[in-house]
Amino acid sequence: MEIEELGKIIKNRRKVLGITIRDLADITGFSKTTISQIERGVRNPTFEVLQNIFEYLNLEMKVEVKMRI
Amino acid sequence: MEIEELGKIIKNRRKVLGITIRDLADITGFSKTTISQIERGVRNPTFEVLQNIFEYLNLEMKVEVKMRI
DNA sequence: AATCCTGTATCATTATATTGGTAATAATTT
DNA sequence: AAATTATTACCAATATAATGATACAGGATT
């Protein structure tokens, strides 16, 4: 998964839930600058930041062994 | 997923592949300090770092909508 | 015992994620 | 069109991730 794809997933999910960047920033406690940049893939967030964002977007991260083709 | 669990997954996978922390550090280009601390859950790695480690451990990250119970 | 090998501890330094503010732009609403 | 809301741009300051080196402890090997 690329960092841009991660951002798109977060943005799409936020839109689905009908909340703004400001909302998500307020709820998670991170700045809107941070949220905006993560969504656009121009930032390299830490695990904790992702963890918090995911929690409020009702998303979960999973790690799997990659399939051999 | 907690940060400690993430570390365990990485450590277990590394063990399965039979490589050392030094090996993984050399391959990924990160320091062994960083690898060691991530595996023990005492560090909060960035997405890019995880991305690189996962690549060499043949792991992949997935994001899913959390199931409602 | 002495020699490797692996993993952890510590710490000063560097790199960069995050913040918080303001301003500018884009999109919606009235 | 004007006003309101949402998003992005920009930038200095702060917090912290990452480095790199050394030292230490435990286990395995010779």
Side-chain angles (χ1 to χ4, degrees):
Chain A
M1 166 175 303
E2 301 296 327
I3 204 165
E4 293 85 3
E5 186 185 350
L6 176 72
K8 287 180 183 174
I9 291 176
I10 292 175
K11 182 167 188 172
N12 287 339
R13 180 62 180 164
R14 176 175 62 79
K15 293 290 190 183
V16 167
L17 296 180
I19 63 180
T20 67
I21 287 183
R22 174 188 294 265
D23 293 334
L24 188 53
D26 289 343
I27 296 174
T28 58
F30 299 113
S31 69
K32 57 182 162 54
T33 303
T34 298
I35 304 291
S36 171
Q37 291 184 340
I38 291 175
E39 285 192 352
R40 283 176 287 145
V42 300
R43 264 290 257 309
N44 178 25
T46 63
F47 181 79
E48 276 185 5
V49 169
L50 288 182
Q51 207 178 9
N52 273 280
I53 293 176
F54 285 3
E55 181 181 347
Y56 288 102
L57 293 181
N58 200 35
L59 293 173
E60 65 179 346
M61 183 185 304
K62 288 188 175 182
V63 178
E64 300 176 1
V65 178
K66 202 180 301 182
M67 270 299 186
R68 292 278 183 198
I69 308 179
Chain B
M1 166 173 303
E2 301 296 327
I3 205 167
E4 293 84 3
E5 186 186 350
L6 175 72
K8 287 180 183 174
I9 290 175
I10 292 175
K11 182 168 186 171
N12 288 339
R13 180 62 181 165
R14 176 174 63 79
K15 293 289 188 183
V16 167
L17 296 180
I19 62 180
T20 66
I21 286 184
R22 174 188 296 268
D23 293 335
L24 188 53
D26 288 344
I27 297 174
T28 58
F30 298 112
S31 69
K32 57 182 162 55
T33 302
T34 298
I35 305 290
S36 172
Q37 292 184 339
I38 290 175
E39 286 192 352
R40 284 175 289 143
V42 300
R43 264 286 261 306
N44 178 23
T46 62
F47 181 78
E48 275 185 7
V49 170
L50 288 182
Q51 208 178 9
N52 274 280
I53 293 176
F54 284 2
E55 180 181 347
Y56 288 102
L57 293 181
N58 201 36
L59 293 174
E60 64 179 346
M61 183 184 304
K62 288 187 175 182
V63 178
E64 301 176 1
V65 177
K66 202 181 301 180
M67 269 298 183
R68 292 280 184 193
I69 305 180

